[in-house]
Amino acid sequence: MNVLARLTGLACALAWLSTAVGAQFNNSWATFTPGADRIRNPDGSTATQVTADNAEKDYAWGDLNGDGWIDLVVVRAEGWSMSGKRVNQLLMNERGVLVDRTAQYATDSDVPGDFGFLTPTNDRDVQIIDLTGDGWPEIVTAVTLSDSNPKHISHPRVYRNKGLVGGVWQGFRYEDARIPQLLTISGGVAVAPRFMSVSVGDVNGDGFADLYFTDYDSMSPLTEAPGNDLNDRLLINDGAGNFTDSLQTRMSAGMLMSTNGLASKIIDVNGDGARDIVKLSSQHPNGDNFVAYNLPSSVGIFGAYQAITPSGAAYHMDLGDLNQDGRPDLVVGDDGNDHYRINLANDPSGGVIWGPRTTYQFLNGSDDGFAGNIRIVDLDNDGWPDVIQTDVDAAILGCTRRTKIYHNLGGPIGGDVVLREEIEMAGANGWKGAVGMLAADLTGVFDAAVFDIDRDGDLDIVFGRCSGTFVWINQLRDEATVFCLGDGSATACPCGNASATADAAGCASSLGVGGRLRKLGTPSISADTLGLFATRVPNGPALFFQGTWAVGVGAGSVFGDGLLCAGGTITRLGVVFAQNQSSLYPRAGIDPQISLQPGLTAGDARTYQAWCRDAELSFCTPEVFNLTNGLAITWQN
């Protein structure tokens, strides 16, 4: 039941829109809202170097510092297979806000004059995994088109996680010697690789992650010199995070040969316990997708090599269990029609029998061709993985196509599934893919990072687009309800200072916008990570307080320059001075958790608000204070 309904005893009825063509449209299976103010600098200001970034971006995510919040690594390049270089970005998740900590945690290096992430490189792919076995995940990148540069610029880069010293996390150090100088197999010539992807996994069964890189054979004017083609490489981990090139001792020349090797994955695809290598090599003479099967009788040596039926012009791929049978299925982005193949069974030799190429279902429109990175993720927590296919092609200029989000409709376990693009209505208008996202929000996407930013149990999305970086918060597990808005829909603001409806905020302050209060983390009595995040508020003291009901049945009452929304038994939580027009309570290590308020138990519903000073004497009333919108929250166990 809606939180406000619980507080006021009123029922909340939702009336779904109907269309002339029936209920197939407007299937609100997943809902997202913009994650405004979620990307910041250490001083609290908006990190415009991230939010306005127009470079090609590729993402990897994981808990890098062991604090329980998932962090984001951004590697950047000029885009479209050019040779230009960019610096990378380290965004640390601080209670649901991605803070650019690159300069603080990612500039150490063992190469004189190199500054880690702040050294421009042409990184095309990135992975996060523990390479040294110490429990702290490393960062490894795939570098391309850096032929004339020294080894530490032209080769893959490994950033060692320095872990804790005295209980304080130390960040990363780039260490050049972990990746060897790569040589051509035929002539032993030292050359710069042209890698476009890196995948990670233990291929030889020793418990340590190895690395597989796919090669890119670029065309004029960046044509590779004769004899310099490295093709793919499998690098073996010595157990301490140092790598040797296996050359052709584990994989044959045919397995390592790529034309445009744009994606790969180390995964046990046939269920025999040994991790295989699946790759995509566009324009390969024998097909597009391939599987090199790891021999279970001699783990780490690859025997059979399978060319999956040519698909036309595949450019990206991912694997995931689409039908819940425990077998990884294949999703392919294609210059023609994107598609997927179900992993049906094994043939007598142990190779996978792949189902027919199945295209996506559209309620209106069709696949618009070309493809970017692919993510197989369960966006609605129903156990059936959905698919995000981004739209910017790695080699062809253009940011005008649209990313597709495909809903997995489920079905019999182990059977066929339907992946459909849900939309609100026919034509160009309405939401696309998931509720809240318009076509304009999905155009020109290089990559999508899909992880639980606010730690509320559902997956949020970061879209890296040609026009910048955008955060979208999944509303599936939102225990908070925004109410008492200062846009005129509730009680009228005291001096005509209504805020914009789209802002879902309080009455406007002297800043010209209303203060917004949002939830970070999870309101859990046993594992409380709840934070109250006030943004677009005047710099100065902000008092956070808790109520037991909603004033005016959620409409609020005039108070100062705004509306009082949280009422009943009022509990003062604390004052945090707003800087850069934002304030967060509680502050880690300073303020007590909100769940420690006396008498608060699982199932309790409470209202919250921030009361902010507005020192502009000439604005609105003489009271010189305003308030954010209200936030109603139900506490979990």
Side-chain angles (χ1 to χ4, degrees):
M1 183 180 291
N2 180 277
V3 179
L4 281 181
R6 297 187 58 193
L7 291 164
T8 64
L10 299 177
C12 178
L14 294 176
W16 295 105
L17 295 175
S18 61
T19 68
V21 296
Q24 60 179 334
F25 292 111
N26 202 27
N27 176 12
S28 302
W29 68 287
T31 300
F32 289 82
T33 59
D37 306 309
R38 295 274 183 165
I39 301 178
R40 294 190 165 251
N41 290 312
D43 66 0
S45 61
T46 299
T48 55
Q49 71 276 12
V50 179
T51 60
D53 175 30
N54 62 2
E56 177 181 322
K57 294 166 276 288
D58 197 89
Y59 295 138
W61 53 93
D63 183 4
L64 301 175
N65 60 355
D67 67 352
W69 295 82
I70 303 299
D71 311 299
L72 180 63
V73 173
V74 186
V75 298
R76 305 165 64 243
E78 182 177 351
W80 298 289
S81 301
M82 301 298 181
S83 58
K85 300 174 177 62
R86 299 289 188 273
V87 300
N88 296 330
Q89 297 162 343
L90 177 64
L91 304 183
M92 301 302 296
N93 190 338
E94 300 179 7
R95 297 180 63 85
V97 178
L98 301 176
V99 181
D100 186 354
R101 297 283 184 183
T102 309
Q104 182 177 356
Y105 291 126
T107 59
D108 192 10
S109 174
D110 65 0
V111 176
D114 184 276
F115 299 100
F117 269 27
L118 294 184
T119 294
T121 50
N122 195 2
D123 289 324
R124 182 60 183 79
D125 195 13
V126 58
Q127 298 289 341
I128 295 173
I129 196 167
D130 179 10
L131 297 175
T132 61
D134 63 356
W136 294 97
E138 273 70 47
I139 300 169
V140 57
T141 68
V143 183
T144 194
L145 296 174
S146 302
D147 295 4
S148 60
N149 298 112
K151 173 182 172 289
H152 73 280
I153 300 295
S154 66
H155 277 55
R157 289 168 65 98
V158 172
Y159 298 84
R160 178 178 62 84
N161 193 324
K162 297 188 288 185
L164 297 179
V165 175
V168 178
W169 186 62
Q170 300 297 303
F172 292 94
R173 184 176 197 242
Y174 166 61
E175 296 180 343
D176 179 54
R178 293 187 178 275
I179 299 291
Q181 169 66 56
L182 297 177
L183 308 173
T184 59
I185 293 176
S186 59
V189 179
V191 296
R194 294 186 168 191
F195 294 146
M196 291 292 277
S197 80
V198 54
S199 53
V200 295
D202 177 15
V203 301
N204 60 354
D206 64 356
F208 297 98
D210 308 302
L211 306 176
Y212 188 81
F213 295 90
T214 57
D215 178 61
Y216 176 69
D217 290 347
S218 57
M219 310 301 285
S220 178
L222 300 171
T223 304
E224 204 162 29
N228 282 6
D229 189 4
L230 285 175
N231 281 315
D232 299 354
R233 293 299 168 101
L234 173 62
L235 304 188
I236 301 300
N237 192 338
D238 68 353
N242 304 302
F243 293 87
T244 57
D245 188 351
S246 65
L247 302 171
Q248 293 176 7
T249 62
R250 296 177 181 271
M251 303 182 74
S252 68
M255 294 176 182
L256 294 172
M257 199 277 264
S258 279
T259 47
N260 294 330
L262 297 172
S264 63
K265 196 160 188 173
I266 297 175
I267 186 172
D268 180 7
V269 77
N270 60 353
D272 63 2
R275 291 183 176 92
D276 312 300
I277 294 176
V278 185
K279 76 173 182 180
L280 181 149
S281 180
S282 179
Q283 301 174 8
H284 192 288
N286 297 325
D288 288 319
N289 292 103
F290 302 86
V291 183
Y293 288 99
N294 200 337
L295 295 174
S297 59
S298 184
V299 176
I301 303 298
F302 292 80
Y305 193 50
Q306 178 186 43
I308 302 173
T309 305
S311 61
Y315 261 76
H316 287 279
M317 59 142 232
D318 196 8
L319 290 105
D321 185 4
L322 296 176
N323 60 1
Q324 295 195 51
D325 65 353
R327 303 181 67 91
D329 307 302
L330 177 67
V331 176
V332 178
D334 197 285
D335 285 356
N337 288 321
D338 301 335
H339 57 271
Y340 52 98
R341 295 178 184 273
I342 299 297
N343 184 335
L344 298 176
N346 292 349
D347 62 25
S349 68
V352 170
I353 300 172
W354 298 97
R357 185 172 75 177
T358 305
T359 55
Y360 297 106
Q361 186 178 107
F362 294 88
L363 298 178
N364 186 73
S366 62
D367 187 345
D368 55 3
F370 301 95
N373 288 346
I374 299 171
R375 304 295 182 185
I376 301 176
V377 288
D378 185 1
L379 295 176
D380 57 352
N381 282 7
D382 66 351
W384 298 91
D386 312 296
V387 174
I388 300 175
Q389 296 212 207
T390 63
D391 61 284
V392 177
D393 188 285
I396 299 177
L397 289 169
C399 295
T400 59
R401 293 178 292 274
R402 175 168 63 82
T403 282
K404 305 295 193 304
I405 299 176
Y406 297 108
H407 176 206
N408 189 333
L409 303 185
I413 292 178
D416 291 332
V417 296
V418 173
L419 289 165
R420 172 192 295 165
E421 185 191 38
E422 309 284 5
I423 59 175
E424 183 176 1
M425 62 185 72
N429 297 322
W431 56 262
K432 305 294 183 186
V435 178
M437 297 181 183
L438 303 177
D441 300 316
L442 297 167
T443 56
V445 179
F446 290 106
D447 198 6
V450 189
F451 61 100
D452 189 359
I453 295 174
D454 53 3
R455 223 170 83 169
D456 65 352
D458 55 30
L459 295 177
D460 311 300
I461 304 174
V462 179
F463 281 132
R465 299 173 55 196
C466 300
S467 56
T469 304
F470 301 84
V471 176
W472 290 86
I473 301 299
N474 195 331
Q475 301 302 300
L476 180 66
R477 290 286 306 277
D478 192 1
E479 305 89 354
T481 301
V482 173
F483 72 101
C484 191
L485 304 183
D487 62 354
S489 61
T491 299
C493 294
C495 53
N497 55 322
S499 58
T501 298
D503 289 344
C507 297
S509 70
S510 62
L511 298 176
V513 293
R516 292 197 299 196
L517 186 66
R518 296 295 187 266
K519 172 185 75 70
L520 302 178
T522 301
S524 167
I525 298 297
S526 60
D528 180 17
T529 60
L530 177 65
L532 301 174
F533 189 36
T535 59
R536 303 189 182 190
V537 296
N539 291 335
L543 168 64
F544 293 85
F545 62 97
Q546 171 187 281
T548 54
W549 53 274
V551 174
V553 198
S557 62
V558 171
F559 186 48
D561 294 350
L563 302 178
L564 180 64
C565 307
T569 301
I570 298 295
T571 301
R572 174 190 170 109
L573 300 176
V575 175
V576 179
F577 275 69
Q579 298 180 350
N580 296 296
Q581 300 173 0
S582 67
S583 180
L584 174 64
Y585 182 90
R587 295 161 293 179
I590 299 176
D591 305 307
Q593 294 174 314
I594 300 173
S595 61
L596 298 178
Q597 295 301 316
L600 195 61
T601 61
D604 286 345
R606 295 290 185 267
T607 53
Y608 296 89
Q609 203 169 8
W611 181 358
C612 307
R613 180 171 176 79
D614 189 346
E616 180 56 60
L617 297 175
S618 61
F619 181 77
C620 201
T621 75
E623 303 293 344
V624 295
F625 66 80
N626 205 324
L627 301 100
T628 64
N629 59 274
L631 199 62
I633 291 177
T634 296
W635 283 84
Q636 304 174 19
N637 187 12

